[in-house]
Amino acid sequence: MDKVLELYFLTADEKTAKIQIEDPIEPVDEAAVRAAMNEIIASKAFKNNAGPYVAAKEARLVETTKTTYLFS
């Protein structure tokens, strides 16, 4: 199973932007994630076509199960 932590932000144009982090530390510490998201916003290091990130919206831990079938 693959796990990804998805961080969702609101941009200056009120659009949603996402950053994905593979193999996050578990259990996910909600307070640490919130603090990290606030640091990302304060750093102004990220932006997209809709503008800079201005607010934390939500975070999600997503688990994906993959099944591979090999054919020879």
Coordinates of all heavy atoms in Angstrom, one line a residue:
M1 N 0.8 -1.2 0.0 CA 0.0 0.0 0.0 C 0.9 1.2 0.0 O 1.8 1.4 0.8 CB -0.9 0.0 1.2 CG -2.3 0.2 0.9 SD -3.4 0.2 2.4 CE -3.5 -1.5 2.8
D2 N 0.6 2.2 -0.9 CA 1.3 3.4 -0.9 C 0.5 4.5 -0.2 O -0.7 4.5 -0.2 CB 1.5 3.9 -2.4 CG 2.4 3.0 -3.2 OD1 3.3 2.4 -2.6 OD2 2.2 2.9 -4.4
K3 N 1.2 5.3 0.5 CA 0.5 6.4 1.3 C 1.1 7.7 0.9 O 2.3 7.9 0.7 CB 0.6 6.2 2.8 CG -0.1 4.9 3.3 CD 0.0 4.8 4.8 CE -0.7 3.5 5.2 NZ -0.7 3.4 6.6
V4 N 0.2 8.7 0.7 CA 0.5 10.1 0.4 C -0.2 11.0 1.3 O -1.4 10.9 1.5 CB 0.2 10.4 -1.1 CG1 0.5 11.8 -1.5 CG2 0.9 9.4 -2.0
L5 N 0.5 12.0 1.8 CA -0.2 13.1 2.5 C -0.4 14.2 1.6 O 0.5 14.8 1.0 CB 0.7 13.6 3.7 CG 0.1 14.6 4.6 CD1 -1.2 14.1 5.3 CD2 1.1 15.1 5.6
E6 N -1.7 14.6 1.4 CA -2.0 15.7 0.5 C -2.4 16.9 1.3 O -3.2 16.9 2.2 CB -3.2 15.3 -0.4 CG -3.0 14.1 -1.3 CD -4.2 13.7 -2.1 OE1 -5.3 14.1 -1.7 OE2 -4.0 13.1 -3.1
L7 N -1.7 18.0 1.0 CA -1.9 19.3 1.7 C -2.6 20.2 0.7 O -2.2 20.5 -0.4 CB -0.6 19.9 2.1 CG 0.4 19.0 2.9 CD1 1.7 19.8 3.2 CD2 -0.3 18.6 4.2
Y8 N -3.8 20.7 1.1 CA -4.6 21.6 0.3 C -4.6 23.0 0.8 O -4.8 23.2 2.0 CB -6.1 21.1 0.2 CG -6.2 19.8 -0.6 CD1 -6.0 18.6 0.0 CD2 -6.5 19.8 -1.9 CE1 -6.2 17.4 -0.7 CE2 -6.6 18.7 -2.7 CZ -6.5 17.4 -2.0 OH -6.6 16.3 -2.8
F9 N -4.4 23.9 -0.1 CA -4.3 25.3 0.3 C -5.2 26.2 -0.6 O -5.6 25.8 -1.7 CB -2.9 25.9 0.0 CG -1.8 25.2 0.8 CD1 -1.2 24.1 0.3 CD2 -1.3 25.8 2.0 CE1 -0.1 23.5 1.0 CE2 -0.3 25.2 2.7 CZ 0.3 24.0 2.2
L10 N -5.7 27.3 0.0 CA -6.4 28.3 -0.8 C -5.4 29.3 -1.4 O -4.5 29.7 -0.6 CB -7.5 29.0 0.0 CG -8.6 28.1 0.5 CD1 -9.6 28.9 1.4 CD2 -9.4 27.6 -0.7
T11 N -5.6 29.7 -2.6 CA -4.7 30.7 -3.2 C -5.4 32.1 -3.1 O -6.5 32.2 -2.7 CB -4.5 30.4 -4.7 OG1 -5.7 30.5 -5.4 CG2 -3.9 29.0 -4.9
A12 N -4.6 33.1 -3.5 CA -5.1 34.4 -3.5 C -6.4 34.6 -4.3 O -7.2 35.4 -4.0 CB -4.0 35.4 -4.0
D13 N -6.5 33.8 -5.4 CA -7.7 33.9 -6.2 C -8.8 32.9 -5.7 O -9.7 32.6 -6.5 CB -7.4 33.5 -7.7 CG -6.6 34.6 -8.3 OD1 -6.5 35.7 -7.8 OD2 -6.1 34.4 -9.5
E14 N -8.7 32.4 -4.5 CA -9.7 31.5 -3.9 C -9.8 30.2 -4.6 O -10.9 29.6 -4.6 CB -11.1 32.2 -3.7 CG -11.0 33.4 -2.8 CD -12.3 34.0 -2.5 OE1 -13.4 33.4 -2.9 OE2 -12.3 35.1 -2.0
K15 N -8.8 29.7 -5.2 CA -8.7 28.4 -5.9 C -8.0 27.5 -4.9 O -7.4 27.9 -3.9 CB -8.0 28.5 -7.2 CG -8.5 29.5 -8.2 CD -9.4 28.9 -9.2 CE -9.7 29.9 -10.2 NZ -11.0 30.0 -10.6
T16 N -8.1 26.2 -5.2 CA -7.4 25.2 -4.3 C -6.1 24.7 -5.0 O -6.1 24.4 -6.2 CB -8.4 24.0 -4.1 OG1 -9.5 24.5 -3.5 CG2 -7.7 23.0 -3.2
A17 N -5.1 24.6 -4.2 CA -3.8 24.1 -4.7 C -3.4 22.9 -3.8 O -3.8 22.9 -2.6 CB -2.7 25.2 -4.7
K18 N -2.6 22.0 -4.3 CA -2.3 20.8 -3.6 C -0.8 20.5 -3.7 O -0.2 20.6 -4.7 CB -3.1 19.6 -4.2 CG -2.7 18.3 -3.5 CD -3.6 17.1 -4.0 CE -3.3 16.8 -5.5 NZ -4.1 15.6 -5.9
I19 N -0.2 20.1 -2.5 CA 1.1 19.6 -2.5 C 1.0 18.1 -2.0 O 0.3 17.9 -1.0 CB 2.0 20.4 -1.5 CG1 2.2 21.8 -2.0 CG2 3.4 19.7 -1.3 CD1 2.9 22.7 -1.1
Q20 N 1.7 17.2 -2.6 CA 1.7 15.8 -2.2 C 3.0 15.4 -1.6 O 4.1 15.7 -2.1 CB 1.4 14.9 -3.3 CG 0.0 15.0 -3.9 CD -0.3 14.0 -5.0 OE1 0.6 13.7 -5.8 NE2 -1.5 13.5 -5.0
I21 N 3.0 14.7 -0.4 CA 4.2 14.2 0.2 C 4.1 12.7 0.3 O 3.2 12.2 1.0 CB 4.3 14.8 1.6 CG1 4.4 16.4 1.5 CG2 5.5 14.3 2.4 CD1 4.2 17.1 2.8
E22 N 5.0 12.0 -0.3 CA 5.0 10.6 -0.3 C 5.6 10.0 1.0 O 6.5 10.6 1.6 CB 5.8 10.0 -1.5 CG 5.2 10.4 -2.8 CD 6.0 9.8 -4.0 OE1 6.9 9.0 -3.8 OE2 5.7 10.3 -5.1
D23 N 5.1 8.9 1.4 CA 5.6 8.2 2.6 C 5.7 9.1 3.8 O 6.8 9.2 4.4 CB 6.9 7.5 2.3 CG 6.9 6.5 1.2 OD1 5.9 5.7 1.1 OD2 7.8 6.5 0.3
P24 N 4.6 9.7 4.2 CA 4.6 10.5 5.4 C 4.9 9.7 6.7 O 4.6 8.5 6.8 CB 3.2 11.2 5.4 CG 2.4 10.1 4.8 CD 3.2 9.5 3.7
I25 N 5.4 10.4 7.7 CA 5.6 9.8 9.0 C 4.2 9.5 9.6 O 3.4 10.4 9.6 CB 6.4 10.8 9.9 CG1 7.8 11.0 9.3 CG2 6.5 10.2 11.3 CD1 8.6 12.0 10.0
E26 N 4.1 8.3 10.1 CA 2.8 8.0 10.8 C 3.1 7.6 12.2 O 4.1 7.1 12.5 CB 2.2 6.8 10.0 CG 1.7 7.2 8.6 CD 0.8 6.1 8.0 OE1 -0.3 6.0 8.4 OE2 1.4 5.4 7.2
P27 N 2.1 7.8 13.1 CA 0.8 8.5 12.8 C 1.0 9.9 12.4 O 1.9 10.6 12.9 CB 0.0 8.3 14.0 CG 1.0 8.2 15.1 CD 2.2 7.5 14.5
V28 N 0.1 10.5 11.6 CA 0.2 11.9 11.2 C -0.2 12.7 12.4 O -1.2 12.5 13.0 CB -0.7 12.1 10.0 CG1 -0.7 13.6 9.6 CG2 -0.3 11.3 8.8
D29 N 0.7 13.7 12.7 CA 0.5 14.6 13.8 C -0.2 15.8 13.2 O 0.4 16.7 12.5 CB 1.8 15.0 14.4 CG 1.7 15.9 15.6 OD1 0.7 16.6 15.7 OD2 2.7 16.0 16.3
E30 N -1.5 16.0 13.5 CA -2.3 17.0 12.9 C -1.8 18.4 13.3 O -1.7 19.3 12.4 CB -3.8 16.9 13.4 CG -4.7 18.0 12.8 CD -6.1 17.9 13.3 OE1 -6.5 16.8 13.9 OE2 -6.9 18.8 13.1
A31 N -1.3 18.6 14.5 CA -0.8 19.9 14.9 C 0.5 20.2 14.1 O 0.7 21.4 13.7 CB -0.5 19.9 16.4
A32 N 1.4 19.2 13.9 CA 2.6 19.4 13.1 C 2.3 19.7 11.7 O 3.0 20.6 11.0 CB 3.5 18.2 13.2
V33 N 1.3 19.1 11.1 CA 0.9 19.3 9.7 C 0.4 20.7 9.6 O 0.8 21.5 8.6 CB -0.1 18.3 9.2 CG1 -0.6 18.6 7.8 CG2 0.6 16.9 9.1
R34 N -0.5 21.1 10.5 CA -1.0 22.5 10.4 C 0.1 23.5 10.6 O 0.1 24.5 9.8 CB -2.0 22.7 11.6 CG -2.8 24.0 11.6 CD -3.7 24.1 12.7 NE -4.6 23.0 12.9 CZ -5.8 23.0 12.4 NH1 -6.3 24.0 11.7 NH2 -6.6 21.9 12.6
A35 N 1.0 23.3 11.5 CA 2.2 24.2 11.6 C 3.0 24.3 10.4 O 3.4 25.4 9.9 CB 3.0 23.8 12.8
A36 N 3.3 23.1 9.7 CA 4.1 23.1 8.5 C 3.3 23.8 7.4 O 4.0 24.6 6.6 CB 4.3 21.7 8.1
M37 N 2.0 23.7 7.3 CA 1.3 24.4 6.3 C 1.3 25.9 6.5 O 1.5 26.6 5.5 CB -0.2 23.8 6.2 CG -0.3 22.4 5.7 SD -2.0 21.8 5.7 CE -2.6 22.6 4.3
N38 N 1.2 26.3 7.7 CA 1.3 27.7 8.0 C 2.7 28.3 7.7 O 2.8 29.4 7.2 CB 0.9 28.0 9.5 CG -0.5 27.8 9.7 OD1 -1.4 28.0 8.8 ND2 -0.9 27.5 10.9
E39 N 3.7 27.5 7.9 CA 5.1 27.9 7.5 C 5.2 28.0 6.0 O 5.9 28.9 5.5 CB 6.1 26.9 8.1 CG 6.3 27.0 9.6 CD 7.4 26.1 10.1 OE1 8.4 25.9 9.3 OE2 7.3 25.6 11.2
I40 N 4.6 27.1 5.3 CA 4.7 27.2 3.8 C 4.0 28.5 3.3 O 4.5 29.2 2.5 CB 4.0 25.9 3.2 CG1 4.8 24.7 3.4 CG2 3.7 26.1 1.7 CD1 4.2 23.4 3.1
I41 N 2.8 28.8 3.9 CA 2.1 30.0 3.6 C 3.0 31.2 3.9 O 3.1 32.1 3.1 CB 0.8 30.1 4.3 CG1 -0.1 29.0 3.8 CG2 0.1 31.5 4.1 CD1 -1.3 28.7 4.7
A42 N 3.6 31.3 5.1 CA 4.3 32.4 5.5 C 5.6 32.6 4.7 O 6.0 33.7 4.5 CB 4.7 32.3 7.0
S43 N 6.2 31.5 4.2 CA 7.4 31.6 3.4 C 7.2 32.2 2.0 O 8.1 32.7 1.4 CB 8.0 30.2 3.3 OG 7.3 29.5 2.3
K44 N 6.0 32.2 1.6 CA 5.6 32.6 0.2 C 6.5 32.0 -0.9 O 6.8 32.6 -1.9 CB 5.7 34.2 0.2 CG 4.7 34.8 1.1 CD 4.8 36.3 1.0 CE 3.8 36.9 2.0 NZ 3.7 38.3 2.0
A45 N 6.9 30.8 -0.6 CA 7.8 30.1 -1.5 C 7.0 29.3 -2.6 O 7.6 28.9 -3.6 CB 8.7 29.0 -0.8
F46 N 5.7 29.2 -2.4 CA 4.9 28.5 -3.4 C 3.8 29.4 -3.9 O 3.2 30.1 -3.2 CB 4.2 27.2 -2.8 CG 5.2 26.2 -2.4 CD1 5.7 26.2 -1.1 CD2 5.6 25.2 -3.3 CE1 6.6 25.2 -0.7 CE2 6.5 24.2 -2.9 CZ 7.0 24.2 -1.6
K47 N 3.5 29.3 -5.2 CA 2.4 29.9 -5.8 C 2.1 29.2 -7.1 O 2.9 28.4 -7.6 CB 2.6 31.4 -6.1 CG 3.6 31.7 -7.2 CD 3.7 33.2 -7.4 CE 4.6 33.5 -8.6 NZ 4.6 34.8 -9.0
N48 N 0.9 29.4 -7.7 CA 0.6 28.8 -9.0 C -0.1 29.9 -9.8 O 0.0 31.1 -9.4 CB -0.3 27.5 -8.8 CG -1.6 27.8 -8.2 OD1 -2.1 28.9 -8.1 ND2 -2.2 26.7 -7.8
N49 N -0.7 29.6 -10.9 CA -1.4 30.6 -11.7 C -2.4 31.3 -11.0 O -2.8 32.4 -11.5 CB -1.9 29.9 -13.0 CG -0.9 29.3 -13.9 OD1 0.3 29.7 -13.8 ND2 -1.2 28.4 -14.7
A50 N -3.0 30.8 -10.0 CA -4.1 31.4 -9.2 C -3.5 32.3 -8.1 O -4.2 32.8 -7.3 CB -5.0 30.4 -8.6
G51 N -2.2 32.4 -8.0 CA -1.6 33.3 -7.0 C -0.9 32.5 -5.9 O -0.9 31.3 -5.9
P52 N -0.4 33.3 -4.9 CA 0.3 32.6 -3.8 C -0.7 31.9 -2.8 O -1.9 32.2 -2.8 CB 0.9 33.8 -3.1 CG 0.1 35.0 -3.4 CD -0.4 34.7 -4.8
Y53 N -0.2 31.0 -2.1 CA -1.0 30.3 -1.1 C -1.2 31.2 0.1 O -0.3 31.8 0.6 CB -0.3 29.0 -0.6 CG 0.0 28.0 -1.6 CD1 0.7 26.8 -1.3 CD2 -0.4 28.1 -3.0 CE1 1.0 25.8 -2.2 CE2 -0.1 27.1 -3.9 CZ 0.6 26.0 -3.5 OH 0.9 25.0 -4.5
V54 N -2.5 31.3 0.5 CA -2.9 32.3 1.5 C -3.5 31.7 2.7 O -3.6 32.3 3.8 CB -3.8 33.4 1.0 CG1 -3.1 34.2 -0.1 CG2 -5.1 32.8 0.4
A55 N -4.0 30.4 2.6 CA -4.7 29.8 3.8 C -4.6 28.3 3.6 O -4.6 27.7 2.5 CB -6.1 30.2 3.9
A56 N -4.5 27.6 4.8 CA -4.5 26.1 4.8 C -6.0 25.7 4.7 O -6.8 26.3 5.4 CB -3.9 25.6 6.1
K57 N -6.3 24.8 3.9 CA -7.7 24.3 3.7 C -7.9 23.0 4.4 O -8.8 22.9 5.2 CB -8.0 24.2 2.2 CG -9.4 23.8 1.9 CD -9.7 23.9 0.4 CE -11.2 23.5 0.1 NZ -11.4 23.4 -1.3
E58 N -7.1 22.0 4.0 CA -7.2 20.7 4.7 C -6.0 19.8 4.3 O -5.2 20.1 3.4 CB -8.5 19.9 4.2 CG -8.5 19.5 2.8 CD -9.8 18.8 2.4 OE1 -10.4 18.2 3.2 OE2 -10.2 18.9 1.2
A59 N -5.9 18.7 5.0 CA -4.8 17.7 4.7 C -5.5 16.3 4.7 O -6.5 16.1 5.5 CB -3.7 17.7 5.8
R60 N -5.1 15.5 3.8 CA -5.6 14.1 3.7 C -4.5 13.1 3.6 O -3.5 13.3 2.9 CB -6.4 14.0 2.4 CG -7.6 14.9 2.3 CD -8.3 14.6 0.9 NE -9.3 15.6 0.7 CZ -9.9 15.8 -0.5 NH1 -9.5 15.1 -1.5 NH2 -10.8 16.7 -0.6
L61 N -4.7 12.0 4.3 CA -3.8 10.9 4.2 C -4.5 9.9 3.2 O -5.6 9.4 3.5 CB -3.6 10.2 5.5 CG -2.6 9.0 5.5 CD1 -1.2 9.4 5.0 CD2 -2.5 8.3 6.9
V62 N -3.9 9.6 2.1 CA -4.5 8.8 1.1 C -3.7 7.5 0.9 O -2.5 7.5 0.8 CB -4.5 9.6 -0.3 CG1 -5.1 8.7 -1.4 CG2 -5.3 10.9 -0.2
E63 N -4.4 6.4 1.0 CA -3.8 5.1 0.9 C -4.2 4.5 -0.5 O -5.4 4.5 -0.8 CB -4.2 4.1 2.0 CG -3.8 4.6 3.4 CD -4.2 3.6 4.5 OE1 -4.2 2.4 4.2 OE2 -4.6 4.1 5.5
T64 N -3.3 4.0 -1.2 CA -3.6 3.4 -2.5 C -3.0 2.0 -2.6 O -1.9 1.7 -2.2 CB -2.9 4.2 -3.7 OG1 -3.3 5.5 -3.6 CG2 -3.3 3.6 -5.0
T65 N -3.9 1.1 -3.0 CA -3.5 -0.3 -3.1 C -3.3 -0.6 -4.6 O -4.1 -0.3 -5.4 CB -4.6 -1.3 -2.6 OG1 -4.8 -1.0 -1.2 CG2 -4.2 -2.7 -2.7
K66 N -2.1 -1.1 -5.0 CA -1.8 -1.5 -6.4 C -1.6 -2.9 -6.5 O -1.0 -3.6 -5.7 CB -0.5 -0.7 -6.8 CG -0.6 0.7 -6.8 CD 0.6 1.4 -7.2 CE 0.5 2.9 -7.1 NZ 1.8 3.5 -7.5
T67 N -2.2 -3.5 -7.6 CA -2.0 -4.9 -7.9 C -1.4 -4.9 -9.3 O -1.9 -4.4 -10.2 CB -3.4 -5.6 -7.9 OG1 -4.0 -5.5 -6.7 CG2 -3.2 -7.1 -8.2
T68 N -0.3 -5.6 -9.4 CA 0.5 -5.7 -10.6 C 0.3 -7.1 -11.2 O 0.4 -8.1 -10.5 CB 2.0 -5.4 -10.4 OG1 2.1 -4.1 -9.9 CG2 2.7 -5.5 -11.8
Y69 N 0.0 -7.1 -12.5 CA -0.1 -8.4 -13.2 C 1.0 -8.4 -14.3 O 1.0 -7.6 -15.1 CB -1.5 -8.5 -13.9 CG -2.6 -8.5 -12.9 CD1 -3.3 -7.3 -12.6 CD2 -3.0 -9.7 -12.2 CE1 -4.3 -7.3 -11.7 CE2 -4.1 -9.6 -11.3 CZ -4.7 -8.4 -11.0 OH -5.7 -8.4 -10.1
L70 N 1.9 -9.4 -14.2 CA 3.0 -9.5 -15.1 C 2.6 -10.5 -16.2 O 2.2 -11.6 -15.9 CB 4.2 -9.9 -14.4 CG 4.8 -9.0 -13.3 CD1 6.0 -9.6 -12.6 CD2 5.1 -7.6 -13.9
F71 N 2.8 -10.1 -17.4 CA 2.5 -11.0 -18.6 C 3.8 -11.2 -19.3 O 4.6 -10.3 -19.6 CB 1.5 -10.4 -19.5 CG 0.2 -10.1 -18.8 CD1 -0.1 -8.8 -18.4 CD2 -0.7 -11.1 -18.5 CE1 -1.3 -8.5 -17.8 CE2 -1.9 -10.8 -17.8 CZ -2.2 -9.5 -17.5
S72 N 4.1 -12.5 -19.6 CA 5.3 -12.8 -20.3 C 5.1 -13.3 -21.7 O 4.0 -13.5 -22.1 CB 6.2 -13.8 -19.6 OG 5.5 -14.9 -19.2

